[in-house]
Amino acid sequence: MYKSVTVKAGKGGWGGPLTLVPTEAKHKVVSITGGGIHPIAESLAAMMECEAVDGFSTGVPDDEILVAVVDCGGTARCGVYPKKRIFTINVLPVGQTGPLAKFITEDIYVSGVDESCFSYANESDVQAAAASSAPKSKAQAKQEVARMSAGKEKGFITRLGIAIGGVVSKFYAAGRETIDITIKSILPFMAFVSMILGIISASGIGDVIANTISPIASTLPGMLIISFICAMPFLSPVLGPGAVIAQIVGTLLGVQIGLGNIPPQYALPALFAIDAQVGGDFVPVGLSLGEADPETIELGVPAVLYSRVITGPAAVIIAYVASIGLYS
């Protein structure tokens, strides 16, 4: 017998509360966290007496997913399931951010969640959730179609004005979203990287990096080893979220190249070496977003992750060859 659970935002979190009501059709808690089934997903599934599924190893049709558990720091992954109107729990305290921020709303998304955020739902909450998700009646559908159809007979000048207004509004919306993403995502990350570099410079960690990473990143075999390690199927989904690791390491390597500790001709191969894991966490989400069949997701995720082990080092070699004579 399924049980309904209310999930509220945790410390520093945003959104919710969500009332999850399992049914025979929707009863699966899908964990898209890159490291097996997340403990939050396991606890939630146990409370509701539902099934917890590792979204990286098993494809699940959207119409069977009750809630998706993610650990996204603010990239597209936290908005993919809200876009599909699937309840989404983010274990990190992230609000409306990323390219799909407009789909992240309080009625479908909650973040900063830990086990203390779970409680069994009362009857009124369950009834309200059931009413909000109930399909529209034929009469309601006919009324909506009638409202949409009303006033369609317009003159040429009116239609021309509406068309021009539509184009202008799209450009305006694109500009607004660009500014919004820049303010909410790009600038905070730039400030974060600047802070990390300041700490590294002030603490002397930069000297350690120069003495340890620089010799490895200054040779082709060293970069091949870095690429191979980053592309390992069990590591790449963990290192991939938000491409944070790659961006920080890339910035550090850029500083070392600027200081002369790493020859500049290794800049391009180093870029491919540290980027072998980027997107590893997004593979099942991307396939789901492309409406792939569950069997395709189940086979496609390991296929892509294992192919990185081959294509990662191969990209480093190609970049190394392309850099020959580039900085001479």
Side-chain angles (χ1 to χ4, degrees):
M1 183 66 179
Y2 298 128
K3 297 180 180 179
S4 301
V5 170
T6 297
V7 184
K8 63 180 182 179
K11 184 178 180 180
W14 182 89
L18 308 181
T19 300
L20 306 178
V21 183
T23 63
E24 288 296 330
K26 288 180 176 287
H27 60 276
K28 293 184 178 180
V29 180
V30 179
S31 178
I32 311 291
T33 53
I37 299 177
H38 196 279
I40 294 297
E42 289 183 341
S43 298
L44 182 60
M47 286 185 67
M48 296 189 297
E49 300 184 7
C50 291
E51 180 183 357
V53 180
D54 181 3
F56 271 83
S57 60
T58 305
V60 181
D62 290 345
D63 55 4
E64 294 182 10
I65 301 176
L66 172 62
V67 59
V69 178
V70 301
D71 60 347
C72 179
T75 55
R77 191 154 47 112
C78 62
V80 168
Y81 290 99
K83 182 180 180 181
K84 297 180 178 183
R85 299 301 296 170
I86 294 175
F87 288 119
T88 303
I89 293 175
N90 194 345
V91 299
L92 300 180
V94 176
Q96 289 179 301
T97 186
L100 300 177
K102 64 181 179 181
F103 300 105
I104 301 175
T105 55
E106 293 180 336
D107 63 323
I108 202 76
Y109 175 91
V110 66
S111 66
V113 175
D114 56 30
E115 294 185 11
S116 66
C117 300
F118 301 150
S119 62
Y120 287 107
N122 55 45
E123 189 63 27
S124 60
D125 290 337
V126 173
Q127 292 177 355
S132 63
S133 61
K136 296 177 181 177
S137 64
K138 290 185 178 180
Q140 290 175 324
K142 287 181 179 179
Q143 289 177 358
E144 288 194 6
V145 171
R147 285 197 300 269
M148 294 171 63
S149 302
K152 280 191 174 180
E153 297 298 328
K154 300 180 178 67
F156 172 76
I157 300 300
T158 303
R159 293 198 302 271
L160 179 62
I162 292 174
I164 294 174
V167 172
V168 172
S169 65
K170 283 182 173 60
F171 278 109
Y172 173 75
R176 183 177 57 188
E177 289 185 11
T178 300
I179 297 298
D180 187 61
I181 291 175
T182 301
I183 294 174
K184 291 184 177 181
S185 301
I186 298 176
L187 292 180
F189 188 82
M190 291 174 65
F192 169 71
V193 172
S194 299
M195 180 194 70
I196 293 294
L197 291 177
I199 293 174
I200 289 173
S201 300
S203 62
I205 299 177
D207 296 332
V208 177
I209 294 173
N211 295 327
T212 55
I213 296 181
S214 296
I216 299 175
S218 299
T219 63
L220 180 60
M223 285 187 292
L224 290 175
I225 293 173
I226 293 173
S227 176
F228 178 78
I229 293 174
C230 290
M232 286 182 176
F234 60 89
L235 280 181
S236 57
V238 179
L239 298 175
V244 174
I245 302 297
Q247 293 183 66
I248 292 176
V249 174
T251 304
L252 297 177
L253 289 177
V255 172
Q256 297 304 314
I257 291 173
L259 294 174
N261 296 321
I262 299 177
Q265 60 265 30
Y266 287 101
L268 187 60
L271 173 66
F272 285 93
I274 64 175
D275 276 352
Q277 85 286 353
V278 172
D281 63 312
F282 192 73
V283 177
V285 180
L287 290 172
S288 176
L289 193 61
E291 299 182 355
D293 293 333
E295 293 80 6
T296 303
I297 297 175
E298 194 166 338
L299 297 175
V301 171
V304 173
L305 294 181
Y306 278 104
S307 69
R308 294 284 185 86
V309 178
I310 300 173
T311 59
V316 173
I317 294 175
I318 294 172
Y320 178 81
V321 173
S323 297
I324 295 176
L326 191 61
Y327 298 95
S328 59

